[in-house]
Amino acid sequence: PGRSRMQVDLLAGTTHRPAVLARPVPTILVFDSGLGGLTVLARVGEVCRGADIVYAADDAGFPYGRLEEGALVARVLAVMERLVAHPHPELVVIACNTASTLVLPALRARFAIPFVGTVPAIKPAAAATRSGLISVLATPGTVARDYTRGLVSTYAGGCNVTLVGATGLAALAEAALKGERVEDDAIAAEIAPCFVERGGRRTDVVTLSCTHYPLLLEPMRRVAPWPVEWIDPAPAIARRVGQLLGADAAADRAGGHEAVAVFTSGAGITGPLRIALAGRGLAEVLIEPMPLVS
């Protein structure tokens, strides 16, 4: 009682399918290891007003950067098997750079649905820079990937690119969203290597190559030693999702779309976090236990 159609379907492991004459309602799964994907969810919701959305956070596995590559691939595939089984999404957004730079080929080989990944926005950064100095602010795992270095070689060969593997910035973003106090000095220390001066030129573009980082955009602007353009890939991801799903996803629906959050642990869900989730359209939070097996 009191649960929506999609919430009941998620708990029961079934999916409502509309009557033959009804307009189809696509379901989009937005997946991340934690809360960073909320920045992508917001943009997808703006573009796909006619779609139902499930936000899935594999908080039992967070942070993914601590997993070695084979374990990370196995973990994401295992969790995705459960999530794709119900509610049978028409499309999945991997709103995690660490996972996208490694796991997308395996996901596309395993499942017969579209996957939209999140990769460092190096091409638009190279197009936007005037100084020729750009920085890629990412997790250590994303910085270490050959995929990331390949993007630099392909799209930013004429630029000086600084790869910055921030060790604690994602955790700071999670803490802030949970209502915990995050000091400006801690944020400043994480982003300081992004700001480079060379030959009278300065870094003028920083790509936010972890979906957690836009959650801290305002304090990062405040503590930055000089103004830069911060590139958030979420708008481009949302446009791509809209292109793939077409008119059915974009059309306004009476009562709006349904949105549900699913966590694989839920251990870190606090009162302030529930309020923050509700403010992002995720008033209903479900736990689908999927412990991380070491």
Side-chain angles (χ1 to χ4, degrees), residues 105-283:
L107 289 169
R108 288 168 175 158
R110 177 76 63 90
F111 304 101
I113 54 176
F115 283 83
V116 176
T118 307
V119 298
I122 292 169
K123 183 177 180 180
T129 185
R130 295 295 174 263
S131 70
L133 273 63
I134 64 178
S135 291
V136 179
L137 182 60
T139 64
T142 297
V143 164
R145 300 275 185 267
D146 290 339
Y147 187 96
T148 301
R149 297 176 186 277
L151 291 175
V152 172
S153 176
T154 301
Y155 297 114
C159 299
N160 295 119
V161 180
T162 301
L163 298 175
V164 179
T167 57
L169 200 56
L172 291 175
E174 295 251 336
L177 200 60
K178 293 174 182 177
E180 300 171 20
R181 182 178 177 83
V182 175
E183 300 292 342
D184 281 356
D185 286 350
I187 297 173
E190 291 283 338
I191 69 172
C194 293
F195 293 85
V196 177
E197 296 184 87
R198 183 174 300 164
R201 297 173 295 140
R202 287 177 163 182
T203 300
D204 62 352
V205 179
V206 177
T207 74
L208 300 175
S209 298
C210 170
T211 54
H212 281 79
Y213 298 166
L215 294 170
L216 295 173
L217 184 55
E218 288 309 311
M220 286 195 294
R221 283 175 172 155
R222 186 170 62 246
V223 303
W226 60 79
V228 296
E229 179 177 352
W230 304 87
I231 296 184
D232 177 1
I237 295 166
R239 287 194 297 272
R240 180 57 179 158
V241 172
Q243 290 168 357
L244 290 171
L245 291 182
D248 287 333
D252 283 310
R253 283 197 353 246
H257 63 237
E258 293 184 19
V260 176
V262 180
F263 288 76
T264 59
S265 167
I269 297 177
T270 62
L273 177 56
R274 286 186 180 274
I275 293 171
L277 292 172
R280 294 169 181 268
L282 297 167

